[in-house]
């Protein structure tokens, strides 16, 4: 469970929410600042990592759609 810093292109098509489950920064200095923020605030980094993990669990794990498909059958 790791926090994510990405660009808009890297996060395109994902359900991540800026400053909630991921930091989305396109400018090099802002990108670096977010990384430094996460490295210096471990508690906040842990919270962001947990939220990012939940996004993956809720949207990108095969188990959930397979269960939904089985339920339809």
């Amino acid at each position: 469970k790791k926090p994510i810093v990405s660009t808009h292109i890297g996060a395109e098509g994902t359900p991540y929410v800026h400053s909630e489950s991921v930091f989305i920064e396109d400018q090099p200095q802002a990108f670096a600042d977010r990384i430094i923020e996460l490295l210096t605030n471990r508690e906040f980094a842990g919270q962001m990592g947990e939220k990012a993990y939940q996004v993956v669990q809720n949207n990108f794990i095969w188990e959930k759609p397979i269960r939904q498909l089985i339920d339809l059958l």
Side-chain angles (χ1 to χ4, degrees), residues 10-40:
E12 187 175 331
T14 69
Y16 289 111
V17 177
H18 175 65
S19 295
E20 184 178 307
S21 55
V22 65
F23 283 125
I24 301 173
E25 300 291 355
D26 291 321
Q27 299 303 315
Q29 186 60 55
F31 197 96
D33 289 344
R34 293 300 188 176
I35 292 170
I36 291 168
E37 179 180 356
L38 292 168
L39 289 172
T40 57

Side-chain angles (χ1 to χ4, degrees), residues 12-70:
E12 187 175 331
T14 69
Y16 289 111
V17 177
H18 175 65
S19 295
E20 184 178 307
S21 55
V22 65
F23 283 125
I24 301 173
E25 300 291 355
D26 291 321
Q27 299 303 315
Q29 186 60 55
F31 197 96
D33 289 344
R34 293 300 188 176
I35 292 170
I36 291 168
E37 179 180 356
L38 292 168
L39 289 172
T40 57
N41 189 339
R42 301 305 262 172
E43 183 177 343
F44 181 62
Q47 293 168 356
M48 289 287 288
E50 182 64 39
K51 290 176 184 176
Y53 177 80
Q54 290 305 316
V55 169
V56 170
Q57 290 294 308
N58 293 332
N59 296 282
F60 301 112
I61 301 298
W62 278 99
E63 187 176 310
K64 184 177 178 179
I66 288 173
R67 271 189 270 130
Q68 291 172 337
L69 179 61
I70 289 170

